[in-house]
Every structure is written in C-alpha cells, then in structure tokens.
Amino acid sequence: MRILVDNSSYDLLNFGDDAMLRVGVDRLLALWPEATIEVFTFAPDRLAVLCPKVRPLVPDGRLLWLQDRNLFGGLHQLFPQRIRPWLDQFESDMRVRFARKSRTRIARRLQRRGVSLASFDYFLDALAGADLLLLTGGGYLTDAFPQVADRVLETTRLATRLGVPVAMMGQGLGPLVSPILQKKFQQSMAGTILLALREDRQATPLLRSMNVPLDRVVTTGDDAIELAYRDDASAGPLGKGIGVNLRLSDYSTLDESTVSTVRAAIQRLHKAQRAELVPVPISRYEKESDARSIRAILKGIDDNSDGGASITSVEEICQQIARCRVILTGSYHAGVFALSQGIPAVCILKSSYYRGKFEGLAALFGRGCFVVSSDRPDFAGQLQQALDDAWASARELKPGLLEAARSQRDSGRAAYAALKDRLASRASAG
C-alpha cells in the first residue's frame, strides 16, 4: 500500500495544520500499518519529528510539472492580461488530458534547459504508483489561497486521470467563487471516493451550487479535535486564565486597529477576575506570527510575555489552553483546541474566509462558541459582552462542548474507516 499525502502547510509552521496532518497520518497507519506514506513538505526535519513513520516528498518535481508551458511558451506574455488565466486553464487541461505525452514533452524542455529530471520523474512516478492520494485537513481549497488551491487541485485532477483514487479529509471548503478553481474542483470530485468536511454550513451549499453529488460527502468536524479532546476532561477543574490570540494577516483582514480594542477588552476582564493572561499562538510564520500580535495585545499589561513564542508543539499549545477558563481568538485552531477541551471561545472575524470558518465551528459546537465581527459599529461592546458571558457561563457550557467534541472526533474516526471500506470496494470492483 502506497499513500501520497497532500496537506495544509508544507513548512509545518502552524500548530493547527500540524495537528490535522498528524491525526491524518496516525489514522492511515492504524488502518494500513505496513503502508508506505509520503507527505509533501519543504521541511523534512520537522516532518520527522511530527510524523516519524512517513517519508518526505519535497514538491519540487510537481512545481516543474505545473510551471512548464507546453503550448504557448514565451508567447504567453503577448496575450492580453485578462485572458491569460484562461490560457493557463487551457494549458493545464491539455497537460492533464494528455499526461503521458505532456510528460515526455516537458522532460525534453527541461533537459534542454539543463534541469535535472530526478524530482520531476519521482513526483510523476510516485503519483502514478500510488494506491491513494489523500488530502489531510485544512482550509486551503478556497479563493483566499488561490495558488495553494490550484496546485492541490491540479494534483488531484492528474491523479484522477491516472486512475488513482482521491480522498479529501477534514476539509474546510470555500469561499470558492473562482470559475477556474470551481471547474478544477468539480473535475477532481470525479475521482474522489470520499470528501469529509469539517463544517457543512458553508461547504454543503457550495457543493450543491457546483452540482457536486453528496453521496460521497460526510461532515466530521475538524480532525485536530483528536489531539485536544480527552475522555476524562469533564472531571477536571475549570481553568483560571484568559487565552489570548489574534491573527493579523491579509486573509483574516484583521489589522493593527483591532489590537487596541482587543487589549481593552482583555484588560478589563483580567482586572475584574484577576485572571492570568495565557498566550495561545497557532501560526509561527514570520509574516503572520501570532506570538507577535499577542505581544502587541499584552503591551502595557504583561510586557515580559514572549507571546508564546517558546511553545514548540501541539501538545504544549493544548496544555497552554487547558489553563484557561475562556479564550479570545482570531485563529480558527485556537478555537478548535479550546472548544474540544470544553473551554468557551470568543472568535473575532472580519473576512469572508474566517466567517465561514468560525460560523461553521459555532454551528457544530453550539453555545460556547461566540462569534464577533470586528467590522460592526458596536464591535467593542459586543466583544466585551461575549467575553463576560463566556467567563460567567464556562462551567455550564463545558459538558455540551465536550459532548460535541467527542461526537466529532468519533465521526472523524468513522470517516477513515469508511475510506478503507470504499477503497476495498473500488479494488474489488476493478
């Protein structure tokens, strides 16, 4: 059994992405203990720590496959800007449709340029020889990350053309408005034996709008719940801290103007309850470092905090959150990790991307997931009220949150078991 795994973060610098990948790999190995599993990554050393039983597959060969222009070459630049995306689509369609001929043609072009074919050949041979291409959980099939979505969907389309079954697990789908990405997703679904959604509030209407059959679709919740939820959590005491996170990035559209509002709300609850302030960073990417935004929030309150920069693992971040009675977050997975431990989460959003994530999370967890939009005129007041309510009702909310987490964890496990059955049925039918 040979399985190729695509995933959310090739650099492995996001605790949420790390958790989803690790859970996916662990579940695959539980089903197929002797399987050879290869994971796309640019960080083999980090992968060896996170998932020691898998092999890294550096995606350089795939980039060579995707970047080469077979048909128009340099003439591509002569076409008007407005039609270049459609030329790209036509070229990618031809590359997939005539995969074997395209491989020969691209190889010749690369050789003429003096480019080694080793990674190129390895990628194509690995994909063609795979028994399964599996996408672990994430929110990357979306207009918010068009380049990531495109390279993943190009891979799934090629796998489908080569007869390799595809599974998409723990997916946060959308927003997906781009006609080109929608078309590639629809084509990818032709070879997808199972699509497991982490939320259906946004994803299911989107699938219906694209006329995607729902007979291969299930909703499981987020796979990262597996690492945060504990069966004995209901017996534990409430935490005493306030978890702090904020995602300042182009895709969250939250910016420095949000920091002062969040700081004021946190400071008020901190003083009223004499509560510890607990950093809960998720992203470690320099350009969107959660630790940096947390330090900005805590400025003048706790100037000695490193914003959680010293935290190095998913286990540590879950332990950090376990100290909290409530958390305030602009990061989706800080919310997932908290809610899965029975801890209410106040989630701040502004972009449509995060609206889908947080409102989908609230639909699955119900009371205890407080969603506040920062573009509302009364944002400061709503944020303070949500924090106060979350703190006051934390004990009451805990059992329901834990039950929701347990149910979603079990659904995720069941989805992987169903994947094994569907793969076996496909093999026997073939």
Side-chain angles (χ1 to χ4, degrees), residues 365-428:
F365 277 95
R367 292 183 63 229
C369 184
F370 300 79
V371 179
V372 183
S373 179
S374 72
D375 56 6
R376 292 285 299 270
D378 55 346
F379 169 52
Q382 285 199 347
L383 179 61
Q384 194 68 66
Q385 187 64 57
L387 277 171
D388 291 343
D389 289 348
W391 184 275
S393 57
R395 188 177 303 279
E396 172 196 351
L397 293 170
K398 185 175 181 178
L401 293 176
L402 289 173
E403 175 57 28
R406 183 201 60 76
S407 176
Q408 291 171 67
R409 180 205 62 182
D410 292 350
S411 294
R413 292 177 177 179
Y416 272 79
L419 170 62
K420 184 174 184 178
D421 292 341
R422 294 188 184 203
L423 204 58
S425 297
R426 177 189 170 103
S428 61

Short mmCIF file of all heavy atoms in Angstrom, two decimals, residues 365-428:
data_model
loop_
_atom_site.label_atom_id
_atom_site.label_comp_id
_atom_site.label_asym_id
_atom_site.label_seq_id
_atom_site.Cartn_x
_atom_site.Cartn_y
_atom_site.Cartn_z
N PHE A 365 -20.42 23.33 17.41
CA PHE A 365 -20.25 23.31 18.86
C PHE A 365 -21.40 23.98 19.61
O PHE A 365 -21.57 23.76 20.80
CB PHE A 365 -18.92 23.96 19.25
CG PHE A 365 -17.74 23.04 19.15
CD1 PHE A 365 -16.95 23.00 18.01
CD2 PHE A 365 -17.43 22.18 20.20
CE1 PHE A 365 -15.86 22.14 17.92
CE2 PHE A 365 -16.34 21.32 20.13
CZ PHE A 365 -15.56 21.29 18.98
N GLY A 366 -22.15 24.83 18.93
CA GLY A 366 -23.28 25.47 19.57
C GLY A 366 -22.86 26.50 20.60
O GLY A 366 -21.86 27.20 20.43
N ARG A 367 -23.63 26.58 21.68
CA ARG A 367 -23.34 27.54 22.74
C ARG A 367 -21.94 27.31 23.28
O ARG A 367 -21.52 26.18 23.52
CB ARG A 367 -24.35 27.42 23.87
CG ARG A 367 -25.76 27.85 23.50
CD ARG A 367 -26.68 27.76 24.72
NE ARG A 367 -26.24 28.66 25.77
CZ ARG A 367 -26.09 28.28 27.05
NH1 ARG A 367 -26.29 27.02 27.40
NH2 ARG A 367 -25.72 29.16 27.96
N GLY A 368 -21.22 28.35 23.43
CA GLY A 368 -19.84 28.25 23.90
C GLY A 368 -18.86 28.72 22.85
O GLY A 368 -17.71 29.02 23.17
N CYS A 369 -19.32 28.83 21.62
CA CYS A 369 -18.51 29.43 20.55
C CYS A 369 -19.16 30.76 20.20
O CYS A 369 -20.21 30.81 19.54
CB CYS A 369 -18.45 28.51 19.33
SG CYS A 369 -17.38 29.14 18.00
N PHE A 370 -18.58 31.84 20.67
CA PHE A 370 -19.11 33.18 20.50
C PHE A 370 -18.41 33.84 19.31
O PHE A 370 -17.19 33.99 19.34
CB PHE A 370 -18.88 34.02 21.76
CG PHE A 370 -19.52 33.47 23.00
CD1 PHE A 370 -18.94 32.41 23.70
CD2 PHE A 370 -20.70 34.02 23.50
CE1 PHE A 370 -19.52 31.90 24.86
CE2 PHE A 370 -21.29 33.53 24.66
CZ PHE A 370 -20.70 32.46 25.33
N VAL A 371 -19.15 34.22 18.29
CA VAL A 371 -18.57 34.80 17.08
C VAL A 371 -18.88 36.29 17.05
O VAL A 371 -20.05 36.69 17.10
CB VAL A 371 -19.11 34.11 15.82
CG1 VAL A 371 -18.50 34.74 14.57
CG2 VAL A 371 -18.82 32.61 15.87
N VAL A 372 -17.82 37.11 16.95
CA VAL A 372 -17.96 38.56 16.98
C VAL A 372 -17.29 39.14 15.74
O VAL A 372 -16.12 38.84 15.47
CB VAL A 372 -17.33 39.16 18.25
CG1 VAL A 372 -17.56 40.66 18.29
CG2 VAL A 372 -17.88 38.49 19.50
N SER A 373 -18.00 39.97 15.01
CA SER A 373 -17.47 40.58 13.79
C SER A 373 -16.84 41.93 14.11
O SER A 373 -17.50 42.81 14.70
CB SER A 373 -18.58 40.74 12.75
OG SER A 373 -18.06 41.35 11.58
N SER A 374 -15.59 42.12 13.70
CA SER A 374 -14.88 43.36 14.04
C SER A 374 -15.31 44.54 13.19
O SER A 374 -14.94 45.68 13.50
CB SER A 374 -13.37 43.15 13.89
OG SER A 374 -13.01 43.06 12.53
N ASP A 375 -16.07 44.29 12.13
CA ASP A 375 -16.48 45.42 11.29
C ASP A 375 -17.85 45.98 11.71
O ASP A 375 -18.40 46.83 11.03
CB ASP A 375 -16.49 45.04 9.80
CG ASP A 375 -17.36 43.83 9.50
OD1 ASP A 375 -18.06 43.34 10.41
OD2 ASP A 375 -17.34 43.37 8.34
N ARG A 376 -18.38 45.50 12.83
CA ARG A 376 -19.62 46.05 13.36
C ARG A 376 -19.34 47.35 14.10
O ARG A 376 -18.31 47.48 14.79
CB ARG A 376 -20.26 45.05 14.32
CG ARG A 376 -20.78 43.78 13.67
CD ARG A 376 -22.07 44.05 12.92
NE ARG A 376 -23.11 44.53 13.82
CZ ARG A 376 -23.96 43.71 14.46
NH1 ARG A 376 -23.85 42.40 14.31
NH2 ARG A 376 -24.89 44.21 15.26
N PRO A 377 -20.23 48.35 14.01
CA PRO A 377 -20.00 49.61 14.73
C PRO A 377 -19.88 49.42 16.24
O PRO A 377 -19.18 50.17 16.91
CB PRO A 377 -21.26 50.43 14.38
CG PRO A 377 -21.78 49.83 13.11
CD PRO A 377 -21.45 48.38 13.18
N ASP A 378 -20.57 48.39 16.77
CA ASP A 378 -20.54 48.14 18.21
C ASP A 378 -19.60 47.01 18.57
O ASP A 378 -19.82 46.28 19.54
CB ASP A 378 -21.95 47.83 18.71
CG ASP A 378 -22.61 46.67 17.96
OD1 ASP A 378 -22.08 46.28 16.89
OD2 ASP A 378 -23.64 46.15 18.43
N PHE A 379 -18.53 46.85 17.80
CA PHE A 379 -17.60 45.75 17.99
C PHE A 379 -17.06 45.70 19.42
O PHE A 379 -17.07 44.63 20.07
CB PHE A 379 -16.44 45.87 16.99
CG PHE A 379 -15.27 44.95 17.26
CD1 PHE A 379 -15.46 43.59 17.45
CD2 PHE A 379 -13.97 45.45 17.34
CE1 PHE A 379 -14.39 42.74 17.70
CE2 PHE A 379 -12.89 44.62 17.58
CZ PHE A 379 -13.10 43.25 17.77
N ALA A 380 -16.61 46.82 19.95
CA ALA A 380 -16.02 46.83 21.29
C ALA A 380 -17.01 46.34 22.34
O ALA A 380 -16.67 45.52 23.20
CB ALA A 380 -15.52 48.23 21.63
N GLY A 381 -18.23 46.82 22.26
CA GLY A 381 -19.24 46.41 23.22
C GLY A 381 -19.61 44.94 23.08
O GLY A 381 -19.78 44.24 24.08
N GLN A 382 -19.75 44.46 21.84
CA GLN A 382 -20.08 43.05 21.62
C GLN A 382 -18.96 42.13 22.09
O GLN A 382 -19.22 41.06 22.66
CB GLN A 382 -20.37 42.80 20.14
CG GLN A 382 -21.72 43.33 19.68
CD GLN A 382 -22.17 42.67 18.39
OE1 GLN A 382 -21.39 42.01 17.70
NE2 GLN A 382 -23.43 42.86 18.04
N LEU A 383 -17.73 42.56 21.85
CA LEU A 383 -16.60 41.75 22.28
C LEU A 383 -16.55 41.64 23.80
O LEU A 383 -16.36 40.54 24.34
CB LEU A 383 -15.30 42.38 21.75
CG LEU A 383 -14.00 41.66 22.12
CD1 LEU A 383 -13.99 40.23 21.56
CD2 LEU A 383 -12.79 42.44 21.59
N GLN A 384 -16.74 42.77 24.47
CA GLN A 384 -16.71 42.74 25.94
C GLN A 384 -17.84 41.87 26.49
O GLN A 384 -17.64 41.08 27.42
CB GLN A 384 -16.83 44.16 26.49
CG GLN A 384 -16.48 44.26 27.97
CD GLN A 384 -15.00 44.01 28.21
OE1 GLN A 384 -14.15 44.79 27.79
NE2 GLN A 384 -14.68 42.92 28.90
N GLN A 385 -19.03 42.00 25.89
CA GLN A 385 -20.17 41.21 26.36
C GLN A 385 -19.94 39.73 26.15
O GLN A 385 -20.25 38.90 27.02
CB GLN A 385 -21.44 41.65 25.63
CG GLN A 385 -22.71 41.01 26.16
CD GLN A 385 -23.01 41.41 27.59
OE1 GLN A 385 -23.14 42.60 27.89
NE2 GLN A 385 -23.11 40.43 28.49
N ALA A 386 -19.37 39.37 25.00
CA ALA A 386 -19.10 37.96 24.71
C ALA A 386 -18.09 37.38 25.70
O ALA A 386 -18.25 36.26 26.19
CB ALA A 386 -18.59 37.81 23.28
N LEU A 387 -17.05 38.15 26.00
CA LEU A 387 -16.05 37.68 26.97
C LEU A 387 -16.67 37.51 28.36
O LEU A 387 -16.42 36.49 29.04
CB LEU A 387 -14.89 38.68 27.04
CG LEU A 387 -13.80 38.55 25.98
CD1 LEU A 387 -12.85 39.74 26.06
CD2 LEU A 387 -13.02 37.25 26.15
N ASP A 388 -17.47 38.47 28.77
CA ASP A 388 -18.11 38.37 30.08
C ASP A 388 -19.04 37.17 30.14
O ASP A 388 -19.07 36.43 31.14
CB ASP A 388 -18.88 39.66 30.39
CG ASP A 388 -17.96 40.86 30.63
OD1 ASP A 388 -16.75 40.64 30.89
OD2 ASP A 388 -18.44 42.00 30.55
N ASP A 389 -19.83 36.98 29.08
CA ASP A 389 -20.77 35.86 29.06
C ASP A 389 -20.03 34.52 29.05
O ASP A 389 -20.44 33.56 29.72
CB ASP A 389 -21.67 35.95 27.83
CG ASP A 389 -22.67 37.10 27.92
OD1 ASP A 389 -22.83 37.67 29.01
OD2 ASP A 389 -23.28 37.42 26.89
N ALA A 390 -18.96 34.45 28.27
CA ALA A 390 -18.19 33.21 28.20
C ALA A 390 -17.58 32.87 29.56
O ALA A 390 -17.61 31.71 30.00
CB ALA A 390 -17.08 33.34 27.15
N TRP A 391 -17.07 33.87 30.26
CA TRP A 391 -16.48 33.64 31.58
C TRP A 391 -17.55 33.18 32.58
O TRP A 391 -17.35 32.20 33.31
CB TRP A 391 -15.83 34.92 32.08
CG TRP A 391 -15.11 34.74 33.39
CD1 TRP A 391 -15.66 34.79 34.65
CD2 TRP A 391 -13.73 34.44 33.57
NE1 TRP A 391 -14.70 34.55 35.60
CE2 TRP A 391 -13.51 34.34 34.97
CE3 TRP A 391 -12.65 34.28 32.70
CZ2 TRP A 391 -12.24 34.06 35.51
CZ3 TRP A 391 -11.39 34.01 33.23
CH2 TRP A 391 -11.21 33.89 34.62
N ALA A 392 -18.69 33.87 32.58
CA ALA A 392 -19.74 33.57 33.55
C ALA A 392 -20.37 32.20 33.33
O ALA A 392 -20.79 31.53 34.29
CB ALA A 392 -20.81 34.65 33.50
N SER A 393 -20.45 31.75 32.09
CA SER A 393 -21.15 30.51 31.78
C SER A 393 -20.22 29.34 31.50
O SER A 393 -20.66 28.29 31.03
CB SER A 393 -22.08 30.73 30.58
OG SER A 393 -21.34 31.19 29.45
N ALA A 394 -18.93 29.49 31.77
CA ALA A 394 -17.95 28.46 31.41
C ALA A 394 -18.29 27.10 32.01
O ALA A 394 -18.20 26.06 31.34
CB ALA A 394 -16.55 28.90 31.83
N ARG A 395 -18.69 27.07 33.28
CA ARG A 395 -18.99 25.79 33.93
C ARG A 395 -20.21 25.13 33.30
O ARG A 395 -20.24 23.92 33.05
CB ARG A 395 -19.23 26.01 35.43
CG ARG A 395 -19.37 24.70 36.21
CD ARG A 395 -19.53 24.99 37.71
NE ARG A 395 -18.43 25.76 38.24
CZ ARG A 395 -17.25 25.24 38.60
NH1 ARG A 395 -17.04 23.93 38.45
NH2 ARG A 395 -16.31 26.02 39.09
N GLU A 396 -21.22 25.93 33.03
CA GLU A 396 -22.45 25.42 32.43
C GLU A 396 -22.21 24.89 31.01
O GLU A 396 -22.80 23.89 30.59
CB GLU A 396 -23.50 26.54 32.40
CG GLU A 396 -24.75 26.20 31.62
CD GLU A 396 -25.57 27.45 31.29
OE1 GLU A 396 -25.25 28.54 31.81
OE2 GLU A 396 -26.50 27.32 30.48
N LEU A 397 -21.33 25.55 30.27
CA LEU A 397 -21.11 25.21 28.87
C LEU A 397 -20.21 23.99 28.67
O LEU A 397 -20.28 23.32 27.64
CB LEU A 397 -20.49 26.41 28.14
CG LEU A 397 -21.37 27.65 27.99
CD1 LEU A 397 -20.54 28.81 27.47
CD2 LEU A 397 -22.55 27.37 27.05
N LYS A 398 -19.39 23.69 29.63
CA LYS A 398 -18.35 22.67 29.45
C LYS A 398 -18.89 21.30 29.03
O LYS A 398 -18.37 20.71 28.06
CB LYS A 398 -17.51 22.55 30.74
CG LYS A 398 -16.32 21.60 30.60
CD LYS A 398 -15.46 21.61 31.87
CE LYS A 398 -14.26 20.70 31.71
NZ LYS A 398 -13.38 20.71 32.91
N PRO A 399 -19.92 20.75 29.68
CA PRO A 399 -20.37 19.41 29.28
C PRO A 399 -20.85 19.34 27.83
O PRO A 399 -20.54 18.38 27.11
CB PRO A 399 -21.52 19.12 30.25
CG PRO A 399 -21.25 19.98 31.43
CD PRO A 399 -20.63 21.23 30.88
N GLY A 400 -21.58 20.35 27.38
CA GLY A 400 -22.07 20.36 26.00
C GLY A 400 -20.95 20.47 24.98
O GLY A 400 -21.00 19.83 23.92
N LEU A 401 -19.95 21.28 25.30
CA LEU A 401 -18.81 21.42 24.39
C LEU A 401 -18.04 20.11 24.29
O LEU A 401 -17.63 19.69 23.19
CB LEU A 401 -17.89 22.54 24.87
CG LEU A 401 -18.46 23.96 24.81
CD1 LEU A 401 -17.47 24.97 25.40
CD2 LEU A 401 -18.82 24.35 23.38
N LEU A 402 -17.85 19.45 25.43
CA LEU A 402 -17.12 18.18 25.40
C LEU A 402 -17.90 17.10 24.65
O LEU A 402 -17.30 16.29 23.92
CB LEU A 402 -16.83 17.71 26.84
CG LEU A 402 -15.79 18.54 27.60
CD1 LEU A 402 -15.73 18.09 29.06
CD2 LEU A 402 -14.42 18.42 26.95
N GLU A 403 -19.20 17.08 24.79
CA GLU A 403 -20.00 16.10 24.06
C GLU A 403 -19.93 16.36 22.56
O GLU A 403 -19.82 15.43 21.76
CB GLU A 403 -21.45 16.16 24.53
CG GLU A 403 -22.41 15.27 23.75
CD GLU A 403 -22.00 13.80 23.73
OE1 GLU A 403 -21.33 13.35 24.68
OE2 GLU A 403 -22.35 13.10 22.76
N ALA A 404 -19.96 17.64 22.16
CA ALA A 404 -19.83 17.97 20.74
C ALA A 404 -18.47 17.55 20.20
O ALA A 404 -18.36 17.03 19.08
CB ALA A 404 -20.05 19.47 20.53
N ALA A 405 -17.44 17.76 21.00
CA ALA A 405 -16.09 17.37 20.58
C ALA A 405 -15.98 15.86 20.44
O ALA A 405 -15.41 15.34 19.46
CB ALA A 405 -15.06 17.87 21.59
N ARG A 406 -16.52 15.12 21.41
CA ARG A 406 -16.46 13.65 21.34
C ARG A 406 -17.18 13.14 20.11
O ARG A 406 -16.69 12.26 19.40
CB ARG A 406 -17.09 13.05 22.60
CG ARG A 406 -17.01 11.52 22.66
CD ARG A 406 -18.02 10.93 23.60
NE ARG A 406 -19.38 11.25 23.21
CZ ARG A 406 -20.02 10.66 22.20
NH1 ARG A 406 -19.42 9.71 21.49
NH2 ARG A 406 -21.25 11.02 21.88
N SER A 407 -18.36 13.70 19.83
CA SER A 407 -19.13 13.27 18.67
C SER A 407 -18.37 13.52 17.37
O SER A 407 -18.34 12.66 16.47
CB SER A 407 -20.47 14.01 18.64
OG SER A 407 -21.21 13.68 17.49
N GLN A 408 -17.73 14.68 17.27
CA GLN A 408 -16.97 14.99 16.05
C GLN A 408 -15.72 14.13 15.93
O GLN A 408 -15.38 13.67 14.84
CB GLN A 408 -16.60 16.48 16.05
CG GLN A 408 -17.81 17.40 15.88
CD GLN A 408 -17.47 18.85 16.10
OE1 GLN A 408 -16.72 19.44 15.32
NE2 GLN A 408 -18.01 19.44 17.16
N ARG A 409 -15.06 13.89 17.04
CA ARG A 409 -13.90 13.00 17.00
C ARG A 409 -14.30 11.62 16.48
O ARG A 409 -13.62 11.03 15.62
CB ARG A 409 -13.29 12.87 18.39
CG ARG A 409 -12.06 11.94 18.43
CD ARG A 409 -11.85 11.34 19.80
NE ARG A 409 -12.98 10.50 20.21
CZ ARG A 409 -13.04 9.88 21.39
NH1 ARG A 409 -12.06 10.04 22.26
NH2 ARG A 409 -14.09 9.14 21.70
N ASP A 410 -15.42 11.10 17.00
CA ASP A 410 -15.89 9.78 16.57
C ASP A 410 -16.28 9.80 15.09
O ASP A 410 -16.05 8.81 14.37
CB ASP A 410 -17.07 9.34 17.43
CG ASP A 410 -16.67 9.04 18.87
OD1 ASP A 410 -15.45 9.00 19.15
OD2 ASP A 410 -17.57 8.88 19.71
N SER A 411 -16.86 10.88 14.63
CA SER A 411 -17.22 10.99 13.21
C SER A 411 -15.97 10.99 12.33
O SER A 411 -15.97 10.40 11.25
CB SER A 411 -18.02 12.27 12.97
OG SER A 411 -19.27 12.22 13.62
N GLY A 412 -14.92 11.65 12.80
CA GLY A 412 -13.67 11.64 12.04
C GLY A 412 -13.08 10.26 11.94
O GLY A 412 -12.62 9.83 10.87
N ARG A 413 -13.08 9.53 13.04
CA ARG A 413 -12.57 8.16 13.00
C ARG A 413 -13.41 7.28 12.07
O ARG A 413 -12.88 6.47 11.31
CB ARG A 413 -12.60 7.58 14.42
CG ARG A 413 -11.60 8.21 15.38
CD ARG A 413 -11.76 7.62 16.78
NE ARG A 413 -10.77 8.15 17.72
CZ ARG A 413 -10.71 7.82 19.00
NH1 ARG A 413 -11.58 6.94 19.50
NH2 ARG A 413 -9.78 8.33 19.80
N ALA A 414 -14.73 7.47 12.14
CA ALA A 414 -15.63 6.67 11.30
C ALA A 414 -15.41 6.97 9.82
O ALA A 414 -15.52 6.07 8.97
CB ALA A 414 -17.09 6.94 11.68
N ALA A 415 -15.09 8.22 9.50
CA ALA A 415 -14.85 8.58 8.10
C ALA A 415 -13.64 7.84 7.54
O ALA A 415 -13.64 7.38 6.39
CB ALA A 415 -14.67 10.09 7.97
N TYR A 416 -12.58 7.72 8.34
CA TYR A 416 -11.41 6.99 7.88
C TYR A 416 -11.70 5.50 7.74
O TYR A 416 -11.21 4.84 6.82
CB TYR A 416 -10.22 7.23 8.82
CG TYR A 416 -9.42 8.45 8.45
CD1 TYR A 416 -9.85 9.72 8.79
CD2 TYR A 416 -8.24 8.34 7.72
CE1 TYR A 416 -9.13 10.86 8.44
CE2 TYR A 416 -7.50 9.46 7.36
CZ TYR A 416 -7.95 10.72 7.73
OH TYR A 416 -7.23 11.84 7.36
N ALA A 417 -12.51 4.95 8.64
CA ALA A 417 -12.91 3.55 8.49
C ALA A 417 -13.73 3.36 7.21
O ALA A 417 -13.54 2.36 6.49
CB ALA A 417 -13.73 3.11 9.71
N ALA A 418 -14.62 4.32 6.92
CA ALA A 418 -15.40 4.25 5.69
C ALA A 418 -14.50 4.37 4.47
O ALA A 418 -14.76 3.73 3.43
CB ALA A 418 -16.45 5.36 5.68
N LEU A 419 -13.44 5.17 4.58
CA LEU A 419 -12.49 5.30 3.47
C LEU A 419 -11.87 3.94 3.14
O LEU A 419 -11.76 3.57 1.96
CB LEU A 419 -11.40 6.31 3.84
CG LEU A 419 -10.20 6.39 2.89
CD1 LEU A 419 -10.63 6.82 1.50
CD2 LEU A 419 -9.15 7.36 3.45
N LYS A 420 -11.47 3.20 4.15
CA LYS A 420 -10.89 1.88 3.90
C LYS A 420 -11.89 0.97 3.19
O LYS A 420 -11.53 0.26 2.23
CB LYS A 420 -10.44 1.25 5.21
CG LYS A 420 -9.72 -0.09 5.01
CD LYS A 420 -9.15 -0.64 6.30
CE LYS A 420 -8.37 -1.92 6.03
NZ LYS A 420 -7.76 -2.47 7.27
N ASP A 421 -13.14 1.01 3.63
CA ASP A 421 -14.17 0.17 3.00
C ASP A 421 -14.39 0.58 1.55
O ASP A 421 -14.52 -0.28 0.66
CB ASP A 421 -15.48 0.28 3.77
CG ASP A 421 -15.41 -0.35 5.16
OD1 ASP A 421 -14.49 -1.17 5.38
OD2 ASP A 421 -16.25 -0.01 6.01
N ARG A 422 -14.43 1.87 1.29
CA ARG A 422 -14.67 2.34 -0.08
C ARG A 422 -13.50 2.00 -0.99
O ARG A 422 -13.70 1.67 -2.16
CB ARG A 422 -14.94 3.85 -0.08
CG ARG A 422 -16.23 4.22 0.63
CD ARG A 422 -16.59 5.68 0.45
NE ARG A 422 -17.78 6.00 1.23
CZ ARG A 422 -18.58 7.02 0.97
NH1 ARG A 422 -18.33 7.82 -0.06
NH2 ARG A 422 -19.63 7.24 1.73
N LEU A 423 -12.31 2.08 -0.45
CA LEU A 423 -11.14 1.74 -1.26
C LEU A 423 -11.14 0.25 -1.58
O LEU A 423 -10.82 -0.16 -2.70
CB LEU A 423 -9.87 2.13 -0.50
CG LEU A 423 -8.61 2.39 -1.33
CD1 LEU A 423 -8.83 3.48 -2.35
CD2 LEU A 423 -7.45 2.75 -0.41
N ALA A 424 -11.53 -0.56 -0.60
CA ALA A 424 -11.60 -2.01 -0.83
C ALA A 424 -12.68 -2.34 -1.85
O ALA A 424 -12.49 -3.19 -2.74
CB ALA A 424 -11.88 -2.73 0.49
N SER A 425 -13.83 -1.66 -1.78
CA SER A 425 -14.91 -1.89 -2.74
C SER A 425 -14.48 -1.50 -4.14
O SER A 425 -14.79 -2.21 -5.12
CB SER A 425 -16.15 -1.09 -2.34
OG SER A 425 -16.64 -1.52 -1.10
N ARG A 426 -13.76 -0.40 -4.24
CA ARG A 426 -13.27 0.03 -5.55
C ARG A 426 -12.31 -1.00 -6.13
O ARG A 426 -12.37 -1.32 -7.33
CB ARG A 426 -12.59 1.39 -5.41
CG ARG A 426 -11.96 1.92 -6.71
CD ARG A 426 -11.14 3.16 -6.40
NE ARG A 426 -10.35 3.57 -7.55
CZ ARG A 426 -10.66 4.60 -8.34
NH1 ARG A 426 -11.76 5.29 -8.11
NH2 ARG A 426 -9.88 4.93 -9.35
N ALA A 427 -11.42 -1.53 -5.29
CA ALA A 427 -10.44 -2.50 -5.76
C ALA A 427 -11.11 -3.78 -6.22
O ALA A 427 -10.74 -4.35 -7.25
CB ALA A 427 -9.43 -2.80 -4.65
N SER A 428 -12.13 -4.25 -5.47
CA SER A 428 -12.80 -5.49 -5.85
C SER A 428 -13.63 -5.30 -7.12
O SER A 428 -13.74 -6.21 -7.94
CB SER A 428 -13.69 -5.98 -4.70
OG SER A 428 -14.69 -5.01 -4.40
#
